[in-house]
Amino acid sequence: MIYLYYSENFYNMIRKIFFLGIVLILLTSTVDAQQSRTKSMGGLSFSIVDRDYTLNLFDFGNNPAWLIVDEKNSRLEITPSLNNSWGSYRRPYSADGFYDYNAGFIGVKPLGESGTFRGKADYTYELRRNNYRTLKKDTYGGEAFYFNDTTSGDVRFNGPTFEFMHSMNLFNDLYLGASASYQIMDGLKKVYTYAETLYRNVSIDLGAAYSLSENLNVGFKYKYEGSQERIVADDVNLLTVQTYHYRGDTYALLLSGSSQSYKLKKKSDQIGTQLH
């Protein structure tokens, strides 16, 4: 008979290795288990039948009118997540890496004949490591303009997002719905210009849907979205700082002063139809 003896130091070492392994997993992956089963199974979405992801006008077409049909039960969903990514294969104004922390809450409440209500709130903290020159939040958002300084540094953005949605059955097989969301974020570049950003985004969705038969549904959706980004660059010592307002990737206007500001406004109107 063979006896094996383990010292207390051995157990402590095992515990430390286990704890280190858990930390490494959290730092290199996104935690989606509480959000839905499908994301935790290799990113499955519409390939299996699931109450969170169904091929319908709401889950697939983002039509708020179909909320009352898609959500039949009350529920509260809590979603903490952590994402860490890095790599050298990136565009010039992309950061070396990202830390993205998020805590989200979704509540659904059927109201009987008054329809169905859905509320969503989340808070995001994003850290961009060694971001090269750019001072804009969405550098590659589609605009032909860049607002840059002359240094690379860490940039953080944080703030909440709120969304409210309501859907109701107007009569027979006609459904109406609407939603509104508001996001506000603060940003700070932690070097040189110490540029501060105030970013806000507002969107409104209006939807209508009609069920022609059990297997044929049509929908109509209108969406308005408006965003504003205000950037203020001040030298902490009240000295002159240099920034550049690029037109495209080549031509730039040099801006010089102890205090500079930049404002970007965007808005869009979208109209779409869905057939399911």
Side-chain angles (χ1 to χ4, degrees):
M1 183 175 295
I2 299 175
Y3 294 95
L4 298 177
Y5 296 94
Y6 299 98
S7 67
E8 185 176 352
N9 291 334
F10 177 79
Y11 284 113
N12 290 335
M13 183 181 67
I14 294 297
R15 284 197 294 266
K16 290 179 180 179
I17 292 175
F18 178 77
F19 178 75
L20 179 60
I22 295 297
V23 171
L24 290 176
I25 291 173
L26 292 176
L27 290 178
T28 57
S29 63
T30 301
V31 183
D32 284 325
Q34 276 189 275
Q35 185 173 12
S36 65
R37 282 81 44 219
T38 54
K39 288 186 178 180
S40 303
M41 293 186 287
L44 294 174
S45 55
F46 301 103
S47 58
I48 62 175
V49 177
D50 186 86
R51 69 172 183 266
D52 284 342
Y53 290 95
T54 307
L55 203 60
N56 60 34
L57 300 180
F58 178 70
D59 290 331
F60 195 70
N62 298 317
N63 192 327
W66 206 250
L67 172 68
I68 189 173
V69 181
D70 184 66
E71 297 284 3
K72 297 295 186 180
N73 302 311
S74 298
R75 65 185 177 95
L76 175 63
E77 187 176 287
I78 303 173
T79 312
S81 67
L82 167 63
N83 183 42
N84 179 25
S85 61
W86 67 90
S88 58
Y89 186 65
R90 59 183 184 274
R91 292 174 289 188
Y93 294 136
S94 296
D96 288 355
F98 294 84
Y99 277 115
D100 187 6
Y101 309 90
N102 183 275
F105 302 86
I106 297 177
V108 177
K109 180 66 176 178
L111 304 174
E113 295 182 357
S114 299
T116 300
F117 174 80
R118 180 178 186 265
K120 179 181 179 181
D122 63 51
Y123 189 88
T124 300
Y125 180 91
E126 179 184 313
L127 178 64
R128 304 178 181 182
R129 301 189 297 275
N130 199 31
N131 212 156
Y132 178 64
R133 299 190 65 167
T134 181
L135 301 178
K136 291 174 57 180
K137 179 180 181 295
D138 298 317
T139 305
Y140 296 103
E143 305 85 21
F145 305 98
Y146 303 104
F147 186 49
N148 302 343
D149 65 12
T150 59
T151 60
S152 298
D154 293 346
V155 183
R156 65 105 177 117
F157 291 95
N158 62 283
T161 302
F162 302 97
E163 181 183 64
F164 303 97
M165 182 181 298
H166 183 257
S167 172
M168 63 184 301
N169 181 204
L170 188 61
F171 59 84
N172 295 332
D173 297 316
L174 178 62
Y175 305 91
L176 298 178
S179 69
S181 68
Y182 181 78
Q183 179 186 38
I184 185 167
M185 301 190 79
D186 292 320
L188 175 65
K189 183 171 185 179
K190 301 178 180 180
V191 67
Y192 186 46
T193 56
Y194 288 89
E196 297 182 355
T197 301
L198 180 62
Y199 175 83
R200 66 125 179 97
N201 186 70
V202 178
S203 67
I204 298 174
D205 292 68
L206 303 175
Y210 187 76
S211 180
L212 297 173
S213 67
E214 183 179 355
N215 297 313
L216 182 60
N217 308 302
V218 295
F220 172 83
K221 179 185 174 184
Y222 165 78
K223 180 174 183 177
Y224 167 82
E225 188 170 15
S227 65
Q228 176 178 295
E229 186 174 2
R230 184 173 185 270
I231 305 171
V232 178
D234 291 321
D235 185 79
V236 293
N237 299 312
L238 299 179
L239 300 177
T240 298
V241 295
Q242 291 184 344
T243 59
Y244 293 87
H245 190 187
Y246 271 83
R247 273 78 166 172
D249 295 325
T250 305
Y251 301 101
L253 175 66
L254 172 63
L255 306 175
S256 181
S258 60
S259 180
Q260 301 175 32
S261 62
Y262 176 89
K263 182 180 289 187
L264 174 68
K265 291 183 178 181
K266 296 191 297 182
K267 67 176 182 178
S268 66
D269 295 276
Q270 303 173 31
I271 297 176
T273 57
Q274 300 94 35
L275 178 64
H276 169 235

